[in-house]
Amino acid sequence: PRLANAAHETLRSLASPSSLQGPELHGWRPPVDCVRANELCAAESNCSSRYRTLRQCLAGRDRNTMLANKECQAALEVLQESPLYDCRCKRGMKKELQCLQIYWSIHLGLTEGEEFYEASPYEPVTSRLSDIFRLASIFSGTGADPVVSAKSNHCLDAAKACNLNDNCKKLRSSYISICNREISPTERCNRRKCHKALRQFFDRVPSEYTYRMLFCSCQDQACAERRRQTILPSCSYEDKEKPNCLDLRGVCRTDHLCRSRLADFHANCRASYQTVTSCPADNYQACLGSYAGMIGFDMTPNYVDSSPTGIVVSPWCSCRGSGNMEEECEKFLRDFTENPCLRNAIQAFGNGTDVNVSPKGPSFQATQAPRVEKTPSLPDDLSDSTSLGTSVITTCTSVQEQGLKVNNSKELSMCFTELTTNIIPGSNKVIKPNSGPSRARPSAALTGLSVLMLKLAL
């Protein structure tokens, strides 16, 4: 019984999220990725045999029987000294799935049943938002001029910046095309292929581009709608009915990648009431990266509406039909919809602030209250778009809204193609597509209408 209790405590300590956080694990051995740890273990006969034994032990349904088994205890003691217990993975690494499979082959059996929060299998994030700002300002062309920045539609600027980078433009065009391709009158798109294309975009394109598209600050509804449409939600996010959030979590946890991204989100965005920003280690970058990492999976989150004054994100799920699990379901959902860490992080990126970066501190009040109101980064009487840009984007938004109602993917595709891909950054000129003059007419009409509205305004 004493040995069993010791093994039980070891399992509990190793399985707890707190034991796996921070740059140093156990304080005496730097972690290696799980693929390399597996290779090191396989090269040592004692470790490899014990690893096989432990996997057989953990595969058993009766956990107490496993703890009482001397062979299982011996395997646990040996492997506790191996790199396998400390191993981590890197998001986007070449053998990420294999790495995660090795990680979960051990850690799924370390817990007593289903855990609400699971430890992240990924290495801790050490970079900060300030690193992203330095890179983003190079490509934005407006970072140094507050007047120009104030009159810009930041979400449109983000699309322009993406188009100036070959990799970003290529992968963005790919997911827009795939997610907008109607399969049949009853099937709006191939969601599986859409999710895969989105994962490739957010994993392979540098965050100075992807963050600007996902977390751009908005002062009007047209801008906020463009931000909401970034991931083509009619295909990647929305569905006919909303599943129960706990059921959706259960589906996510059957997939090693989805399970890992969700665990990473909880590890980096879980609201902390012991930090200034409500984020673990006051690291906005870690939270935003974890949020972006969930896009393209069953747990894909998105903005729930196109309101520019508030930031509310959620997976496509609800807590209806939760029964006696309603409290747990609501708690799970609030980690998205009422998460002060996540909301502060999104606001911080939109405002261009970070902890200990601005000499006068953040330009908004980071709060630990359940709901955090967005403080505009610009005065109320200024728009984040020029007059021309606003009229064009408003027209685009109306087309998008109509397209969503009638499920007309061609209109939505035209809107994205004409108003993001073919506008020359820094000018109001629209490039005629190579497909012929007939495709140029909608752009010319929108431009003519915009100029007319501008003249009337003057």
Side-chain angles (χ1 to χ4, degrees):
R2 184 176 299 176
L3 287 174
N5 290 336
H8 178 82
E9 291 303 319
T10 301
L11 286 171
R12 286 183 62 86
S13 63
L14 289 170
S16 65
S18 60
S19 69
L20 294 174
Q21 302 305 314
E24 295 183 1
L25 307 179
H26 296 292
W28 52 272
R29 184 175 59 225
V32 297
D33 74 74
C34 295
V35 176
R36 177 58 180 159
N38 189 44
E39 293 173 352
L40 294 173
C41 183
E44 186 182 338
S45 59
N46 189 34
C47 181
S48 59
S49 63
R50 299 293 183 170
Y51 182 38
R52 287 194 299 269
T53 299
L54 185 63
R55 291 184 66 174
Q56 293 174 356
C57 294
L58 295 176
R61 294 184 178 181
D62 192 339
R63 187 170 179 275
N64 292 326
T65 301
M66 182 208 76
L67 292 173
N69 186 290
K70 292 184 179 180
E71 289 187 9
C72 295
Q73 293 173 24
L76 182 65
E77 291 175 1
V78 170
L79 292 177
Q80 187 178 350
E81 302 301 321
S82 79
L84 281 171
Y85 269 125
D86 295 335
C87 73
R88 295 290 194 91
C89 303
K90 290 183 179 180
R91 183 179 143 192
M93 64 184 290
K94 186 176 182 180
K95 297 181 179 180
E96 181 180 359
L97 181 57
Q98 180 184 353
C99 184
L100 294 173
Q101 288 171 341
I102 295 170
Y103 175 90
W104 289 114
S105 69
I106 294 179
H107 291 274
L108 279 181
L110 296 179
T111 57
E112 296 183 69
E114 192 84 352
E115 296 288 326
F116 191 88
Y117 294 116
E118 295 182 320
S120 172
Y122 292 108
E123 294 182 359
V125 176
T126 57
S127 58
R128 313 288 297 192
L129 274 190
S130 52
D131 302 321
I132 305 295
F133 295 149
R134 280 192 289 271
L135 290 171
S137 63
I138 296 174
F139 301 104
S140 67
T142 61
D145 190 341
V147 176
V148 175
S149 180
K151 295 182 179 179
S152 297
N153 180 306
H154 300 302
C155 295
L156 179 59
D157 290 341
K160 292 178 181 180
C162 178
N163 288 335
L164 292 176
N165 178 273
D166 291 339
N167 187 45
C168 186
K169 181 179 180 180
K170 176 183 176 181
L171 292 175
R172 179 170 176 261
S173 298
S174 175
Y175 84 71
I176 288 178
S177 174
I178 293 172
C179 299
N180 230 9
R181 190 178 301 151
E182 189 175 272
I183 304 300
S184 68
T186 58
E187 190 176 4
R188 71 179 74 176
C189 67
N190 188 321
R191 174 170 286 199
R192 182 181 62 83
K193 290 184 177 180
C194 175
H195 278 176
K196 182 178 180 181
L198 280 168
R199 291 197 301 270
Q200 290 177 339
F201 176 77
F202 285 103
D203 282 347
R204 297 180 184 179
V205 176
S207 50
E208 59 261 27
Y209 295 105
T210 59
Y211 282 20
R212 291 184 67 193
M213 296 176 65
L214 272 181
F215 309 123
C216 44
S217 62
C218 290
Q219 303 298 318
D220 57 60
Q221 187 174 358
C223 173
E225 175 62 13
R226 177 182 288 275
R227 181 177 60 188
R228 192 185 73 84
Q229 288 286 346
T230 296
I231 65 169
L232 277 294
S234 62
C235 180
S236 68
Y237 177 68
E238 300 165 359
D239 209 344
K240 295 178 181 179
E241 296 181 359
K242 285 188 176 183
N244 179 272
C245 291
L246 296 183
D247 291 342
L248 186 64
R249 183 184 67 176
V251 172
C252 175
R253 285 182 169 179
T254 62
D255 176 78
H256 288 311
L257 274 170
C258 187
R259 184 174 205 138
S260 301
R261 300 299 176 89
L262 179 60
D264 198 55
F265 170 78
H266 282 146
N268 292 315
C269 293
R270 183 180 177 184
S272 171
Y273 296 96
Q274 299 177 349
T275 59
V276 174
T277 62
S278 298
C279 287
D282 284 320
N283 194 334
Y284 287 144
Q285 155 71 346
C287 179
L288 295 183
S290 298
Y291 175 91
M294 287 194 297
I295 296 175
F297 293 95
D298 292 316
M299 198 58 69
T300 295
N302 197 29
Y303 298 92
V304 299
D305 55 36
S306 55
S307 169
T309 57
I311 298 175
V312 181
V313 299
S314 173
W316 184 259
C317 65
S318 72
C319 286
R320 292 181 181 178
S322 297
N324 59 0
M325 301 290 288
E326 185 173 359
E327 184 176 347
E328 180 174 343
C329 182
E330 293 289 352
K331 179 182 178 183
F332 176 82
L333 190 56
R334 282 196 301 271
D335 278 338
F336 294 90
T337 59
E338 299 180 20
N339 186 328
C341 167
L342 178 59
R343 187 172 294 130
N344 285 341
I346 295 175
Q347 286 183 218
F349 184 85
N351 293 335
T353 59
D354 194 7
V355 180
N356 297 328
V357 172
S358 174
K360 295 184 179 180
S363 62
F364 69 97
Q365 181 65 38
T367 176
Q368 297 177 356
R371 285 192 175 274
V372 183
E373 294 299 326
K374 177 177 171 63
T375 302
S377 59
L378 304 172
D380 293 336
D381 59 341
L382 290 179
S383 170
D384 70 344
S385 307
T386 60
S387 299
L388 178 62
T390 302
S391 62
V392 171
I393 297 167
T394 304
T395 305
C396 176
T397 303
S398 65
V399 171
Q400 291 170 350
E401 292 172 346
Q402 293 171 9
L404 288 175
K405 292 179 180 178
V406 299
N407 193 26
N408 191 329
S409 60
K410 292 183 179 179
E411 288 183 349
L412 188 58
S413 177
M414 180 195 75
C415 177
F416 270 92
T417 302
E418 299 293 338
L419 297 181
T420 62
T421 303
N422 300 319
I423 296 180
I424 301 177
S427 75
N428 297 324
K429 181 179 179 181
V430 179
I431 304 173
K432 294 184 179 180
N434 296 328
S435 58
S438 60
R439 288 294 307 278
R441 292 193 192 108
S443 300
L446 290 176
T447 305
L449 177 61
S450 303
V451 173
L452 178 60
M453 294 180 67
L454 180 62
K455 290 181 177 179
L456 290 175
L458 295 175

